[in-house]
Amino acid sequence: MVYLDYNSTTPIDERVLEEMIKVYKNIAGNADSRTHIFGDEARKVVEKARSDVAALLNINKDEVFFTSGATESNNTAIQGLKEYADKTDRKHIITSSIEHKAILEICKAMEKNGFEISYVNPQIDGRILFDDVKKLIRDDMLIVSIMHVNNETGIIQPVKEIGDYLADKEVFFHIDATQSFGKLVDELKEIKYDMLSMSAHKINGPQGIGALILRKKRYKLPPVKGIMYGGQQEHRIRPGTIPVALVAGLGSACSFALLEYKANLEKCEAIKKVLLDELETTNIEYEINGNPEYCVPNTLNICFNGVSSEALMISTKQYCGISNGSACNSRSYKPSYVLLAMGLPVERIENSVRISWGAKSNVKEVKDSFIKLLTVAQRLKL
Ligand code: PMP
């Protein structure tokens, strides 16, 4: 059985796990205890990991704040600016209709609290247009929040252009980089963002840890306040005892990503080529969702005409693990809101699946399971 749902989560890297076990076995202290060596040792581990995260993004380590993952980072980035918004009367937020629920649901809640949200729709190719964002910019802007890479389609959004445009404006630019962090390493270094969210488990790190990045402007952090009350950890942006081994796992995953991202991209690209070659040789009718030119190398969102995605997923369960959308919504049978926003017909959406892999996927295994999937799809075709 081959795992092909890497955009949902990735298997932990053995080397990362070893590092975490070492920490679990040897570090007893709380990283915020200042009165003994046990605390100092834990703090060293945490600060080393903070440097590893910072190095991957080419930023300063005091701009890294550990959270439980991208959902919490997104919540803190947006809800954490409420106090500032009240003080300055800036209550307009721009986002897109294809964001993860961990942005859309926050925006819905903010709307109930008197904020105005503008949603930018994508084109049929899965990309939003920079001009559509630009048109919405006003004087009372608080945040522009746009994802770097869409989790369902793998389509890269124009965050570089948006960041360049917003750089000298009085607005905070947040990017949800959950699907690009540790992968599109060179691109991320070039983007002018104020806030960035990520999760370790998308880059072969542990689940339950991530970071919110807050970039300093003229030596000052964005005025984000923690959304929970508690201790003074992470400068109050994220109170609560720092999970030292998880943080070490995130740091370790980042240092491997920095060393290996170029080779990883090439391996993912090679797998995509194998899958596309297979598609060409079968006579099954298919359509790729999203413009392949803007797609990351580890994702394929594909419609097999006349083949229900639910039937295909169930019938291929013993060969591979694929999905038809984000795991966070996979309990609902509603057609993907991302593909709907792109303007694809419902029937096409109902016949679409997402296949996603990683650099550690075995090319031959992926190829063999994909061939089986194509055979099943042919059999299921109405
Ligand atoms: N944003 C995006 C784009 C994602 O893909 C995900 C994970 N599917 C999240 C946010 C949420 O990440 P987590 O579940 O790790 O909090």
Side-chain angles (χ1 to χ4, degrees):
M1 247 230 302
V2 183
Y3 182 65
L4 289 172
D5 200 12
Y6 273 65
N7 284 9
S8 155
T9 195
T10 61
I12 195 155
D13 186 312
E14 291 277 342
R15 300 166 298 177
V16 170
L17 184 59
E18 264 172 42
E19 197 55 44
M20 289 174 63
I21 291 171
K22 241 197 273 169
V23 173
Y24 275 125
K25 283 187 172 166
N26 300 308
I27 303 290
N30 182 320
D32 283 274
S33 296
R34 347 165 255 108
T35 52
H36 46 69
I37 302 235
F38 299 94
D40 296 344
E41 284 175 352
R43 174 55 60 181
K44 258 188 222 150
V45 172
V46 168
E47 293 314 313
K48 159 84 174 63
R50 206 184 302 280
S51 300
D52 291 336
V53 176
L56 188 54
L57 290 165
N58 199 24
I59 59 170
N60 291 321
K61 74 194 272 287
D62 58 0
E63 296 173 313
V64 178
F65 299 87
F66 295 116
T67 65
S68 64
T71 299
E72 189 185 323
S73 298
N74 287 348
N75 272 275
T76 307
I78 297 176
Q79 296 195 61
L81 282 174
K82 259 186 190 164
E83 203 177 296
Y84 173 83
D86 285 336
K87 253 194 247 161
T88 54
D89 210 22
R90 296 178 169 273
K91 297 212 167 171
H92 183 213
I93 297 174
I94 297 176
T95 190
S96 82
S97 53
I98 55 168
E99 299 298 309
H100 191 272
K101 288 285 177 186
I103 288 288
L104 294 178
E105 292 296 316
I106 302 166
C107 288
K108 254 204 238 165
M110 297 290 279
E111 203 164 13
K112 281 192 194 142
N113 279 300
F115 285 75
E116 187 187 333
I117 320 287
S118 300
Y119 296 92
V120 177
N121 281 319
Q123 303 293 293
I124 195 143
D125 70 352
R127 256 194 143 214
I128 63 160
L129 294 178
F130 161 59
D131 273 342
D132 286 348
V133 175
K134 198 172 147 188
K135 268 187 246 160
L136 291 167
I137 304 286
R138 330 189 293 221
D139 284 347
D140 63 344
M141 290 294 319
L142 178 66
I143 304 167
V144 175
S145 180
I146 302 289
M147 66 197 334
H148 189 188
V149 171
N150 182 269
N151 46 305
E152 290 193 31
T153 58
I155 299 298
I156 302 167
Q157 304 301 323
V159 286
K160 166 85 175 86
E161 294 90 314
I162 299 171
D164 286 345
Y165 180 73
L166 294 179
D168 60 357
K169 311 247 173 325
E170 246 197 81
V171 54
F172 298 103
F173 183 36
H174 169 253
I175 58 171
D176 179 349
T178 314
Q179 295 292 342
S180 61
F181 178 80
K183 297 172 187 160
L184 304 184
V185 173
D186 294 331
E187 290 83 344
L188 270 172
K189 282 182 189 167
E190 298 300 316
I191 298 167
K192 293 185 183 125
Y193 56 86
D194 299 293
M195 308 187 280
L196 175 149
S197 302
M198 51 78 48
S199 275
H201 71 98
K202 307 284 185 186
I203 57 161
N204 306 101
Q207 295 173 344
I209 187 76
L212 171 63
I213 308 300
L214 299 177
R215 300 299 318 272
K216 285 185 179 168
K217 248 188 200 158
R218 292 180 286 280
Y219 308 106
K220 267 174 72 182
L221 287 171
V224 169
K225 293 272 165 21
I227 54 172
M228 292 193 294
Y229 297 103
Q232 295 180 4
Q233 294 95 344
E234 299 299 271
H235 295 265
R236 290 192 191 275
I237 283 172
R238 209 296 185 152
T241 300
I242 297 174
V244 183
L246 290 178
V247 165
L250 164 59
S252 171
C254 287
S255 54
F256 288 122
L258 186 57
L259 286 174
E260 298 165 4
Y261 73 94
K262 283 193 180 138
N264 290 345
L265 285 170
E266 277 170 25
K267 285 183 200 161
C268 287
E269 199 74 73
I271 292 177
K272 187 177 262 190
K273 185 170 181 317
V274 166
L275 300 186
L276 293 174
D277 287 349
E278 278 312 315
L279 279 169
E280 278 209 0
T281 57
T282 61
N283 45 20
I284 191 156
E285 274 176 51
Y286 69 92
E287 272 154 314
I288 290 174
N289 299 320
N291 185 344
E293 236 181 86
Y294 292 112
C295 192
V296 287
N298 83 317
T299 309
L300 203 52
N301 194 308
I302 183 167
C303 163
F304 293 109
N305 296 342
V307 181
S308 139
S309 64
E310 290 295 332
L312 186 61
M313 288 188 304
I314 291 167
S315 312
T316 53
K317 236 180 179 171
Q318 70 269 41
Y319 312 125
C320 55
I322 56 171
S323 70
N324 61 352
S326 161
C328 315
N329 307 307
S330 70
R331 305 226 169 269
S332 78
Y333 288 96
K334 286 198 199 123
S336 149
Y337 67 86
V338 172
L339 302 184
L340 269 178
M342 284 161 57
L344 298 178
V346 171
E347 196 190 334
R348 173 154 165 186
I349 299 171
E350 284 172 349
N351 296 343
S352 293
V353 289
R354 174 184 75 180
I355 303 172
S356 54
W357 54 92
K360 287 188 178 49
S361 303
N362 179 302
V363 187
K364 184 170 178 334
E365 282 176 10
V366 174
K367 180 177 173 172
D368 292 348
S369 69
F370 192 62
I371 292 171
K372 282 185 190 142
L373 180 139
L374 292 176
T375 315
V376 173
Q378 230 145 3
R379 212 179 55 222
L380 288 173
K381 192 169 160 51
L382 295 172

Short mmCIF file of all heavy atoms in Angstrom, two decimals, residues 7-9 68-74 98-103 147-152 176-180 197-202 207-209 326-328 354, ligand 1:
data_model
loop_
_atom_site.label_atom_id
_atom_site.label_comp_id
_atom_site.label_asym_id
_atom_site.label_seq_id
_atom_site.Cartn_x
_atom_site.Cartn_y
_atom_site.Cartn_z
N ASN A 7 0.06 15.93 1.13
CA ASN A 7 -0.36 17.31 1.44
C ASN A 7 -1.19 17.35 2.72
O ASN A 7 -1.38 18.40 3.32
CB ASN A 7 -1.18 17.90 0.28
CG ASN A 7 -0.27 18.29 -0.87
OD1 ASN A 7 0.92 17.97 -0.85
ND2 ASN A 7 -0.81 18.97 -1.86
N SER A 8 -1.66 16.17 3.10
CA SER A 8 -2.43 16.10 4.33
C SER A 8 -1.49 15.98 5.53
O SER A 8 -1.60 16.72 6.51
CB SER A 8 -3.38 14.92 4.20
OG SER A 8 -3.73 14.44 5.42
N THR A 9 -0.55 15.07 5.45
CA THR A 9 0.53 14.99 6.43
C THR A 9 1.61 14.07 5.85
O THR A 9 1.34 13.32 4.91
CB THR A 9 0.03 14.48 7.81
OG1 THR A 9 1.04 14.77 8.79
CG2 THR A 9 -0.27 12.99 7.81
N SER A 68 1.38 25.33 18.06
CA SER A 68 1.07 23.90 17.86
C SER A 68 0.96 23.55 16.38
O SER A 68 0.77 22.40 16.02
CB SER A 68 -0.24 23.55 18.56
OG SER A 68 -1.30 24.27 17.97
N GLY A 69 1.05 24.54 15.51
CA GLY A 69 0.95 24.26 14.07
C GLY A 69 0.30 25.41 13.33
O GLY A 69 -0.02 26.46 13.91
N ALA A 70 0.07 25.20 12.05
CA ALA A 70 -0.41 26.28 11.19
C ALA A 70 -1.78 26.81 11.60
O ALA A 70 -2.04 28.02 11.50
CB ALA A 70 -0.44 25.82 9.74
N THR A 71 -2.66 25.94 12.08
CA THR A 71 -3.98 26.40 12.49
C THR A 71 -3.85 27.45 13.59
O THR A 71 -4.44 28.53 13.53
CB THR A 71 -4.86 25.23 12.97
OG1 THR A 71 -5.01 24.31 11.89
CG2 THR A 71 -6.22 25.69 13.44
N GLU A 72 -3.03 27.12 14.58
CA GLU A 72 -2.84 28.08 15.68
C GLU A 72 -2.09 29.33 15.21
O GLU A 72 -2.42 30.45 15.62
CB GLU A 72 -2.08 27.40 16.82
CG GLU A 72 -2.06 28.29 18.04
CD GLU A 72 -1.22 27.72 19.18
OE1 GLU A 72 -1.21 26.50 19.39
OE2 GLU A 72 -0.55 28.52 19.83
N SER A 73 -1.12 29.14 14.34
CA SER A 73 -0.37 30.30 13.83
C SER A 73 -1.31 31.25 13.09
O SER A 73 -1.25 32.47 13.27
CB SER A 73 0.75 29.85 12.89
OG SER A 73 1.67 29.04 13.59
N ASN A 74 -2.17 30.68 12.24
CA ASN A 74 -3.13 31.51 11.49
C ASN A 74 -4.05 32.25 12.45
O ASN A 74 -4.32 33.45 12.29
CB ASN A 74 -3.99 30.64 10.56
CG ASN A 74 -3.22 30.13 9.35
OD1 ASN A 74 -2.12 30.59 9.06
ND2 ASN A 74 -3.79 29.17 8.63
N ILE A 98 -10.06 30.40 -1.59
CA ILE A 98 -9.48 29.06 -1.66
C ILE A 98 -8.50 28.79 -0.51
O ILE A 98 -7.74 27.83 -0.54
CB ILE A 98 -8.77 28.80 -3.01
CG1 ILE A 98 -7.72 29.89 -3.28
CG2 ILE A 98 -9.78 28.73 -4.13
CD1 ILE A 98 -6.78 29.56 -4.43
N GLU A 99 -8.55 29.66 0.51
CA GLU A 99 -7.70 29.42 1.68
C GLU A 99 -8.15 28.15 2.39
O GLU A 99 -9.29 27.71 2.24
CB GLU A 99 -7.81 30.61 2.65
CG GLU A 99 -7.36 31.93 2.09
CD GLU A 99 -5.89 31.97 1.69
OE1 GLU A 99 -5.04 31.59 2.51
OE2 GLU A 99 -5.59 32.38 0.56
N HIS A 100 -7.27 27.64 3.22
CA HIS A 100 -7.62 26.52 4.10
C HIS A 100 -8.68 26.98 5.09
O HIS A 100 -8.78 28.18 5.37
CB HIS A 100 -6.34 26.10 4.83
CG HIS A 100 -6.46 24.82 5.58
ND1 HIS A 100 -6.90 24.75 6.88
CD2 HIS A 100 -6.18 23.54 5.21
CE1 HIS A 100 -6.88 23.49 7.28
NE2 HIS A 100 -6.46 22.73 6.28
N LYS A 101 -9.44 26.03 5.63
CA LYS A 101 -10.47 26.39 6.62
C LYS A 101 -9.86 27.12 7.82
O LYS A 101 -10.53 27.89 8.50
CB LYS A 101 -11.22 25.14 7.10
CG LYS A 101 -12.16 24.56 6.03
CD LYS A 101 -13.40 25.40 5.88
CE LYS A 101 -14.30 24.85 4.78
NZ LYS A 101 -15.46 25.69 4.51
N ALA A 102 -8.59 26.85 8.06
CA ALA A 102 -7.90 27.50 9.18
C ALA A 102 -7.61 28.97 8.91
O ALA A 102 -6.93 29.62 9.68
CB ALA A 102 -6.60 26.78 9.52
N ILE A 103 -8.10 29.49 7.81
CA ILE A 103 -8.15 30.94 7.56
C ILE A 103 -9.61 31.33 7.41
O ILE A 103 -10.09 32.28 8.04
CB ILE A 103 -7.36 31.33 6.28
CG1 ILE A 103 -5.86 31.20 6.48
CG2 ILE A 103 -7.73 32.75 5.82
CD1 ILE A 103 -5.22 32.26 7.36
N MET A 147 -2.60 32.38 0.88
CA MET A 147 -1.75 31.18 1.00
C MET A 147 -0.69 31.17 -0.08
O MET A 147 -0.90 31.72 -1.18
CB MET A 147 -2.60 29.91 0.95
CG MET A 147 -3.25 29.68 -0.38
SD MET A 147 -4.63 28.49 -0.41
CE MET A 147 -4.38 27.39 0.91
N HIS A 148 0.46 30.56 0.21
CA HIS A 148 1.50 30.47 -0.82
C HIS A 148 1.15 29.40 -1.83
O HIS A 148 1.14 29.64 -3.04
CB HIS A 148 2.86 30.19 -0.15
CG HIS A 148 4.01 30.31 -1.09
ND1 HIS A 148 5.28 29.93 -0.74
CD2 HIS A 148 4.11 30.75 -2.37
CE1 HIS A 148 6.10 30.14 -1.77
NE2 HIS A 148 5.41 30.63 -2.76
N VAL A 149 0.84 28.20 -1.33
CA VAL A 149 0.49 27.08 -2.22
C VAL A 149 -0.82 26.48 -1.75
O VAL A 149 -0.98 26.21 -0.55
CB VAL A 149 1.60 26.01 -2.20
CG1 VAL A 149 1.16 24.74 -2.94
CG2 VAL A 149 2.89 26.55 -2.81
N ASN A 150 -1.75 26.29 -2.66
CA ASN A 150 -3.02 25.69 -2.26
C ASN A 150 -2.85 24.20 -1.98
O ASN A 150 -2.23 23.46 -2.75
CB ASN A 150 -4.09 25.91 -3.34
CG ASN A 150 -5.42 25.35 -2.90
OD1 ASN A 150 -5.73 24.19 -3.17
ND2 ASN A 150 -6.19 26.13 -2.18
N ASN A 151 -3.43 23.76 -0.86
CA ASN A 151 -3.27 22.37 -0.43
C ASN A 151 -4.00 21.36 -1.31
O ASN A 151 -3.60 20.21 -1.39
CB ASN A 151 -3.73 22.22 1.03
CG ASN A 151 -5.04 22.91 1.30
OD1 ASN A 151 -5.20 24.10 1.05
ND2 ASN A 151 -6.01 22.17 1.78
N GLU A 152 -5.06 21.79 -2.01
CA GLU A 152 -5.80 20.83 -2.84
C GLU A 152 -5.25 20.73 -4.26
O GLU A 152 -5.20 19.66 -4.84
CB GLU A 152 -7.28 21.22 -2.90
CG GLU A 152 -7.98 21.01 -1.58
CD GLU A 152 -9.49 21.09 -1.72
OE1 GLU A 152 -10.03 20.75 -2.78
OE2 GLU A 152 -10.13 21.53 -0.74
N ASP A 176 0.00 31.99 4.49
CA ASP A 176 -0.12 30.64 5.00
C ASP A 176 0.81 29.80 4.11
O ASP A 176 0.47 29.48 2.97
CB ASP A 176 -1.58 30.18 4.90
CG ASP A 176 -1.77 28.77 5.41
OD1 ASP A 176 -0.75 28.07 5.64
OD2 ASP A 176 -2.93 28.34 5.56
N ALA A 177 1.99 29.49 4.67
CA ALA A 177 3.01 28.79 3.86
C ALA A 177 3.08 27.31 4.23
O ALA A 177 4.10 26.66 4.02
CB ALA A 177 4.36 29.46 4.07
N THR A 178 1.97 26.79 4.75
CA THR A 178 1.98 25.40 5.24
C THR A 178 2.42 24.41 4.17
O THR A 178 3.07 23.41 4.48
CB THR A 178 0.57 25.04 5.77
OG1 THR A 178 0.12 26.11 6.59
CG2 THR A 178 0.60 23.76 6.58
N GLN A 179 2.04 24.65 2.91
CA GLN A 179 2.37 23.69 1.86
C GLN A 179 3.69 24.00 1.15
O GLN A 179 4.14 23.21 0.32
CB GLN A 179 1.24 23.60 0.82
CG GLN A 179 -0.06 23.05 1.37
CD GLN A 179 0.02 21.57 1.75
OE1 GLN A 179 0.91 20.83 1.33
NE2 GLN A 179 -0.93 21.12 2.56
N SER A 180 4.29 25.14 1.44
CA SER A 180 5.52 25.48 0.72
C SER A 180 6.74 25.52 1.62
O SER A 180 7.88 25.37 1.16
CB SER A 180 5.36 26.85 0.05
OG SER A 180 5.13 27.85 1.03
N SER A 197 2.77 31.39 8.48
CA SER A 197 2.37 30.22 9.28
C SER A 197 2.88 28.94 8.66
O SER A 197 2.90 28.81 7.43
CB SER A 197 0.84 30.13 9.34
OG SER A 197 0.29 31.28 9.89
N MET A 198 3.26 27.99 9.51
CA MET A 198 3.70 26.68 9.01
C MET A 198 3.51 25.59 10.07
O MET A 198 3.35 25.90 11.25
CB MET A 198 5.16 26.72 8.58
CG MET A 198 6.17 27.26 9.55
SD MET A 198 6.70 26.21 10.90
CE MET A 198 7.08 24.72 10.10
N SER A 199 3.54 24.35 9.61
CA SER A 199 3.44 23.16 10.48
C SER A 199 4.60 22.22 10.17
O SER A 199 4.91 22.00 8.99
CB SER A 199 2.16 22.38 10.18
OG SER A 199 1.07 22.87 10.87
N ALA A 200 5.18 21.60 11.21
CA ALA A 200 6.31 20.69 10.99
C ALA A 200 5.91 19.41 10.25
O ALA A 200 6.71 18.84 9.50
CB ALA A 200 6.94 20.31 12.33
N HIS A 201 4.66 18.98 10.44
CA HIS A 201 4.30 17.65 9.92
C HIS A 201 4.14 17.59 8.40
O HIS A 201 3.93 16.52 7.84
CB HIS A 201 3.04 17.11 10.62
CG HIS A 201 1.78 17.80 10.27
ND1 HIS A 201 0.91 17.33 9.33
CD2 HIS A 201 1.22 18.94 10.75
CE1 HIS A 201 -0.15 18.13 9.26
NE2 HIS A 201 0.03 19.12 10.09
N LYS A 202 4.23 18.75 7.74
CA LYS A 202 4.18 18.73 6.27
C LYS A 202 5.57 18.52 5.67
O LYS A 202 5.72 18.37 4.48
CB LYS A 202 3.59 20.03 5.72
CG LYS A 202 2.26 20.44 6.31
CD LYS A 202 1.09 19.65 5.78
CE LYS A 202 -0.22 20.21 6.32
NZ LYS A 202 -1.40 19.45 5.98
N GLN A 207 3.83 15.91 14.22
CA GLN A 207 2.55 16.61 14.26
C GLN A 207 2.43 17.36 15.58
O GLN A 207 2.98 16.92 16.59
CB GLN A 207 1.40 15.61 14.12
CG GLN A 207 1.39 14.92 12.77
CD GLN A 207 0.37 13.80 12.67
OE1 GLN A 207 -0.15 13.32 13.66
NE2 GLN A 207 0.11 13.35 11.44
N GLY A 208 1.71 18.47 15.57
CA GLY A 208 1.46 19.20 16.82
C GLY A 208 2.46 20.28 17.13
O GLY A 208 2.50 20.79 18.25
N ILE A 209 3.28 20.64 16.16
CA ILE A 209 4.23 21.74 16.37
C ILE A 209 4.38 22.52 15.06
O ILE A 209 4.32 21.95 13.97
CB ILE A 209 5.61 21.23 16.87
CG1 ILE A 209 6.54 22.37 17.26
CG2 ILE A 209 6.27 20.31 15.84
CD1 ILE A 209 6.24 23.01 18.56
N SER A 326 -9.08 18.43 1.27
CA SER A 326 -8.34 18.56 2.52
C SER A 326 -8.86 17.56 3.56
O SER A 326 -10.07 17.34 3.67
CB SER A 326 -8.54 19.99 3.02
OG SER A 326 -8.24 20.06 4.37
N ALA A 327 -7.94 16.95 4.32
CA ALA A 327 -8.34 15.99 5.36
C ALA A 327 -9.25 16.66 6.39
O ALA A 327 -10.10 16.01 6.99
CB ALA A 327 -7.10 15.45 6.06
N CYS A 328 -9.09 17.98 6.52
CA CYS A 328 -9.87 18.70 7.52
C CYS A 328 -11.35 18.74 7.16
O CYS A 328 -12.19 19.03 8.00
CB CYS A 328 -9.35 20.13 7.66
SG CYS A 328 -7.57 20.15 7.75
N ARG A 354 -7.08 14.07 -5.42
CA ARG A 354 -5.77 14.70 -5.20
C ARG A 354 -4.77 13.61 -4.86
O ARG A 354 -4.99 12.79 -3.98
CB ARG A 354 -5.85 15.68 -4.03
CG ARG A 354 -4.48 16.26 -3.68
CD ARG A 354 -4.53 17.16 -2.46
NE ARG A 354 -4.66 16.43 -1.21
CZ ARG A 354 -4.72 16.99 -0.01
NH1 ARG A 354 -4.70 18.32 0.09
NH2 ARG A 354 -4.82 16.27 1.09
N1 PMP B 1 -3.08 25.72 5.95
C1 PMP B 1 -2.87 24.88 4.95
C2 PMP B 1 -2.64 25.43 3.57
C3 PMP B 1 -2.84 23.50 5.17
O1 PMP B 1 -2.64 22.66 4.14
C4 PMP B 1 -3.05 23.01 6.47
C5 PMP B 1 -3.04 21.52 6.75
N2 PMP B 1 -3.85 20.77 5.91
C6 PMP B 1 -3.27 23.93 7.50
C7 PMP B 1 -3.27 25.29 7.20
C8 PMP B 1 -3.49 23.50 8.90
O2 PMP B 1 -2.35 22.89 9.43
P1 PMP B 1 -2.42 22.10 10.80
O3 PMP B 1 -3.53 21.11 10.65
O4 PMP B 1 -1.09 21.46 10.92
O5 PMP B 1 -2.70 23.09 11.87
#
